[in-house]
Amino acid sequence: MGRGLRIALVGPDGERVGVQVSGWGGGDRLQAEVGCESTLGPPWKLRSPRQSPVEREHLTLSVDLSRTAGDLRCTLRPGVEGHRNVPLERWPEGGAWALEITATDHGGAEAPAAAEAILVSLTLEASGLVVERPGASPPDPVAQAVSLVTAGDVAAGRALQALPASADLRRAAALRAAPDVLAGPLREAVGRERYYALFDRAFTVPIDAHPDDQALGVTLTTALPDVEALLSAPDPASRARGVRLLAARGRAWVALGRPAAARRDLLAVSRAPAPHGPLPDPIATVWLDLAALEARDGRDDAALDDVRHGLGASSAPEILADRVRAMPALAALAQRPAWVELLPP
């Protein structure tokens, strides 16, 4: 999954020449991707590993079209340093070209991701270049509403509520970017059920890809004040959402060193009414989280009971058993005779 920035010149027939920078990965595998792209020839991109999602780097990217050489020259520096001459399949048409600065797609998931790119300077050079300044673009209603919230405007809640359902992805992206500012006003504006649907959409990717991120842990433990109420919601989608979010909050409490709060949330998930839908494995995984808490406190028999419950709730107990053997808190226990007898090979 990735998110980033694209800077491109876009021609009248959709032709495009530009540069882009993105972040990709999940868990402990993170990569930065930089490169050039064009509809006039094949793209050229390079990826390099990164140690942290908050690691910053100053980059200079340039793309140059040469009619004489008949190619596109892409140059990157420093960090991922290199250049490539890409043969052009055709020369671009003249006419009015627009400069577009946009966020890149997030890959296969229709969910927002957080990325921060600071554009320091931008230079355009061309023979016969005439620059015209267009009229002001219509204001973005989501950006306007977020600005009201950030400024503490009393009308902010009404502005957020007035946005159409078609703006939900953008609204979720805003929540992903500034949960500390937007969570309260957004919840007040749209109500509990819709707020948690937006929160789930906003944070589903980082919950799965970066569960140990400290900032995510703070958000999960501060922006879900009564999410446990979803466990008894009348509709299956809300109950499923409650299982996902409450389990994520429980794991966040573990990461933040709050085992009692973690046990409370995880037990609530494990005791929730049987949902209608494909949810046995998320609940089975929660039993493993509970087993890990018991093992850390030296309650090995209780940990074994929790694993037994998890295996009973899983649709793939052999895979769950492999997870038990791989979990640092349970790996040593998994070698004991009683555990070996319980865990499927």
Side-chain angles (χ1 to χ4, degrees), residues 44 53 78 87 109 132 141 168 182-183 211-212 221 225 231-232 250 254 259 268 271 273 285 288 298 309 321 330:
W44 181 57
E132 297 181 2
D168 273 358
L182 287 180
D212 298 325
T221 54
L231 298 179
S232 55
V254 174
R271 296 168 178 169
T285 304
L288 298 195
H309 284 298
L330 302 177

Side-chain angles (χ1 to χ4, degrees), residues 112-254:
E116 182 179 278
I118 301 172
L119 181 58
V120 178
S121 64
L122 178 66
T123 304
L124 295 175
E125 296 180 359
S127 59
L129 177 66
V130 178
V131 178
E132 297 181 2
R133 295 185 178 275
S137 301
D140 178 2
V142 177
Q144 282 188 315
V146 172
S147 296
L148 288 172
V149 173
T150 304
D153 194 302
V154 295
R158 290 192 294 274
L160 286 167
Q161 188 176 29
L163 295 173
S166 60
D168 273 358
L169 181 58
R170 293 272 289 113
R171 190 165 12 201
L175 178 62
R176 172 80 172 88
D180 54 332
V181 174
L182 287 180
L186 183 59
R187 188 182 187 284
E188 182 178 350
V190 302
R192 182 175 65 196
E193 296 286 335
R194 195 171 177 198
Y195 167 73
Y196 284 130
L198 289 169
F199 188 98
D200 191 24
R201 191 174 190 180
F203 288 95
T204 184
V205 169
I207 285 173
D208 289 337
H210 303 289
D212 298 325
D213 181 73
Q214 187 172 8
L216 174 64
V218 172
T219 298
L220 290 169
T221 54
T222 57
L224 302 174
D226 57 353
V227 68
E228 55 270 19
L230 295 182
L231 298 179
S232 55
D235 64 296
S238 292
R239 293 198 298 275
R241 190 172 297 121
V243 167
R244 286 194 302 272
L245 294 180
L246 191 57
R249 191 176 74 179
R251 294 176 187 120
W253 285 125
V254 174

Side-chain angles (χ1 to χ4, degrees), residues 33 52 66 98 111 155 160 164 194 231 258 323:
E33 179 183 88
S52 165
S66 172
L160 286 167
R194 195 171 177 198
L231 298 179
R258 298 280 300 277
R323 295 191 62 175

Side-chain angles (χ1 to χ4, degrees), residues 19-21 34-36 59-63 74-77:
V19 297
Q20 63 90 26
V21 56
V34 295
C36 301
L59 292 170
T60 301
L61 292 84
S62 66
V63 58
C74 182
T75 305
L76 319 170
R77 63 182 190 274

Side-chain angles (χ1 to χ4, degrees), residues 5-92:
L5 180 72
R6 176 186 293 122
I7 304 172
L9 288 171
V10 181
D13 295 324
E15 293 181 317
R16 184 174 68 252
V17 178
V19 297
Q20 63 90 26
V21 56
S22 302
W24 291 84
D28 295 329
R29 296 186 177 183
L30 303 171
Q31 293 179 314
E33 179 183 88
V34 295
C36 301
E37 57 183 9
S38 168
T39 56
L40 310 174
W44 181 57
K45 300 176 183 179
L46 292 176
R47 289 191 184 186
S48 62
R50 290 294 182 268
Q51 298 300 315
S52 165
V54 297
E55 182 179 339
R56 292 178 179 269
E57 181 178 9
H58 185 275
L59 292 170
T60 301
L61 292 84
S62 66
V63 58
D64 177 39
L65 290 177
S66 172
R67 182 185 286 275
T68 302
D71 65 12
L72 178 151
R73 181 181 177 88
C74 182
T75 305
L76 319 170
R77 63 182 190 274
V80 179
E81 196 163 333
H83 67 274
R84 176 68 60 87
N85 289 61
V86 179
L88 293 178
E89 298 170 353
R90 64 184 184 281
W91 188 254

